[in-house]
Amino acid sequence: MSTGADLPVSRELLARAPKVLLHDHLDGGLRPEQLRRWFVDSASSGSLERYLSTFEHTVAVMQTVDQLRRVARECVLDLAADGVVYAEIRYAPELHVEQGLSLRQVVEAVHDGFVDGQEQARLDGTPIVVRQLLTAMRHAARSREIAELVVTYRDQGVVGFDIAGAEAGYPPTRHLDAFEYLQRENMHFTIHAGEAFGLPSIWQALQWCGADRLGHGVRIIDDITFDGSGVPSLGRLASYVRDKRIPLELCPSSNIQTGAAPTIADHPIGALTDLRFRVTINTDNRLMSDTSMSEEMSKLVDAFGYEMADLRWFTVNAMKSAFLPFDERLAVIEEQIKPAYAVLGAMH
């Protein structure tokens, strides 16, 4: 995409650029500095299963109202400090009831923490809007219950539903009842699909379950072939995803850690961006990957030579794909993202 004629985008400009984050786990973004090295090493093992095991430690300190509220508030402030103007943060309420909290108490504690953080960020001069996505675990049997919780809190900061956990052996169709219920309730949902597992997972998420977005979706690259000259040919599923503008919540650093790609330069985000899929950039788990939105953008700039116009494209893609009402999405794009990138682009 880059002509290579301009200077590389500086870290300073990246830090100042407005960012939109759609795929970030609350329990993957804590601040425990003393655990960071252990988390990064364990999460970088190349195994999705071992990567997921690191969450046992973070979830253990997210079991009371005060803990949840503090973690949620810190999450908002950390994102705001990184230039994020809109974020959807996901977590599984069912993992936070080990000390007696109800599912509702969990959701309300996170809501209050997000409100606290947004107010502080406003006072700090780094305004941000943060909303919740409630996740059900693929291996459990509480997805309908969590889906109903989403609808209950749809006017109190919850904008969508998700399923997460190990893909292999736990297809999204196991949770069809929850997805059909959400469709009847006109509610948004995304599905973790096409991360460690291939095209069947993506196909089920879209054509059986009706997902609005794909959590990761990186394996859609398996339905694209390139001839000897590098000319691409899209299969029917890849064509459907591109034609329908289905958002891909791509998480480059996370994918390297779990073995989905060997390096950032080899990550399918490059080809998918060239082919103009609805690509978005995400952090997934900021603690486990030792990353931020600025860091993810920086890695992509280094690997693919992206310029400010490219980063604006990713950011507008994400805001277009948010589970926020249309007029609110448009306001963020027109009043925050475009003006800021116009200024930064002129400085580049």
Side-chain angles (χ1 to χ4, degrees):
M1 292 174 65
S2 169
T3 62
D6 293 328
L7 295 170
V9 179
S10 71
R11 287 290 185 120
E12 182 193 359
L13 284 182
L14 279 177
R16 295 173 59 183
K19 303 163 189 77
V20 174
L21 176 55
L22 302 179
H23 193 120
D24 187 86
H25 292 264
L26 184 62
D27 51 338
L30 279 72
R31 290 178 173 178
E33 294 299 324
Q34 70 278 16
L35 290 176
R36 184 178 298 273
R37 189 75 258 149
W38 181 86
F39 273 119
V40 173
D41 291 343
S42 292
S44 300
S45 66
S47 159
L48 181 60
E49 285 71 24
R50 186 171 170 206
Y51 181 89
L52 294 173
S53 73
T54 59
F55 290 90
E56 296 169 10
H57 299 270
T58 55
V59 168
V61 295
M62 297 171 66
Q63 295 297 332
T64 68
V65 167
D66 287 347
Q67 288 174 341
L68 285 164
R69 187 166 179 165
R70 188 196 79 244
V71 167
R73 177 180 180 276
E74 291 177 352
C75 168
V76 174
L77 294 175
D78 289 348
L79 294 177
D82 190 40
V84 177
V85 295
Y86 177 78
E88 291 174 5
I89 304 299
R90 64 188 72 194
Y91 66 99
E94 65 197 83
L95 299 181
H96 303 281
V97 296
E98 292 173 7
Q99 291 183 24
L101 291 183
S102 68
L103 292 173
R104 286 184 171 226
Q105 286 176 307
V106 171
V107 174
E108 290 168 11
V110 173
H111 171 269
D112 291 346
F114 282 173
V115 170
D116 293 345
Q118 288 172 91
E119 176 59 20
Q120 184 61 52
R122 185 185 65 79
L123 294 173
D124 292 344
T126 54
I128 182 174
V129 173
V130 180
R131 296 290 183 262
Q132 296 188 40
L133 299 178
L134 303 187
T135 297
M137 301 308 295
R138 310 176 86 105
H139 59 274
R142 303 188 74 169
S143 53
R144 174 61 186 256
E145 186 180 7
I146 303 301
E148 291 175 357
L149 199 63
V150 169
V151 172
T152 298
Y153 286 94
R154 69 190 309 167
D155 296 321
Q156 297 164 67
V158 176
V159 295
F161 175 79
D162 170 43
I163 62 167
E167 283 185 80
Y170 301 102
T173 45
R174 278 173 49 116
H175 305 281
L176 215 47
D177 179 51
F179 297 125
E180 290 175 348
Y181 163 75
L182 290 164
Q183 287 176 312
R184 290 193 297 273
E185 294 291 337
N186 304 303
M187 198 68 206
H188 298 295
F189 55 94
T190 179
I191 296 177
H192 275 73
E195 178 185 11
F197 217 58
L199 296 173
S201 178
I202 295 174
W203 177 74
Q204 281 195 14
L206 295 175
Q207 312 305 21
W208 280 86
C209 304
D212 296 293
R213 303 191 315 232
L214 291 171
H216 294 286
V218 65
R219 297 314 330 150
I220 197 66
I221 197 72
D222 296 341
D223 199 38
I224 304 171
T225 55
F226 296 86
D227 69 13
S229 304
V231 177
S233 176
L234 277 64
R236 294 201 185 277
L237 183 59
S239 294
Y240 180 89
V241 169
R242 186 171 72 163
D243 293 346
K244 293 274 284 186
R245 315 309 296 146
I246 293 165
L248 303 176
E249 302 166 359
L250 297 182
C251 308
S253 293
S254 173
N255 290 159
I256 306 307
Q257 288 181 291
T258 59
T263 68
I264 296 291
D266 296 309
H267 193 284
I269 193 170
L272 295 171
T273 296
D274 289 343
L275 290 168
R276 282 301 190 268
F277 279 74
R278 177 67 72 81
V279 172
T280 69
I281 303 171
N282 302 274
T283 48
D284 199 10
N285 298 289
R286 286 170 289 114
L287 171 64
M288 284 69 169
S289 297
D290 195 18
T291 196
S292 65
M293 281 297 289
S294 292
E295 182 67 19
E296 293 297 309
M297 285 182 164
S298 179
K299 288 179 178 178
L300 294 174
V301 166
D302 290 344
F304 300 107
Y306 293 147
E307 298 172 359
M308 292 306 292
D310 304 316
L311 300 179
R312 187 186 92 149
W313 182 76
F314 290 124
T315 305
V316 171
N317 276 353
M319 201 63 227
K320 283 180 178 178
S321 307
F323 291 158
L324 206 60
F326 173 74
D327 55 341
E328 296 177 41
R329 298 200 307 264
L330 206 59
V332 174
I333 292 171
E334 298 298 333
E335 297 169 17
Q336 291 181 265
I337 297 171
K338 287 185 176 179
Y341 272 97
V343 172
L344 294 171
M347 295 170 63
H348 177 46

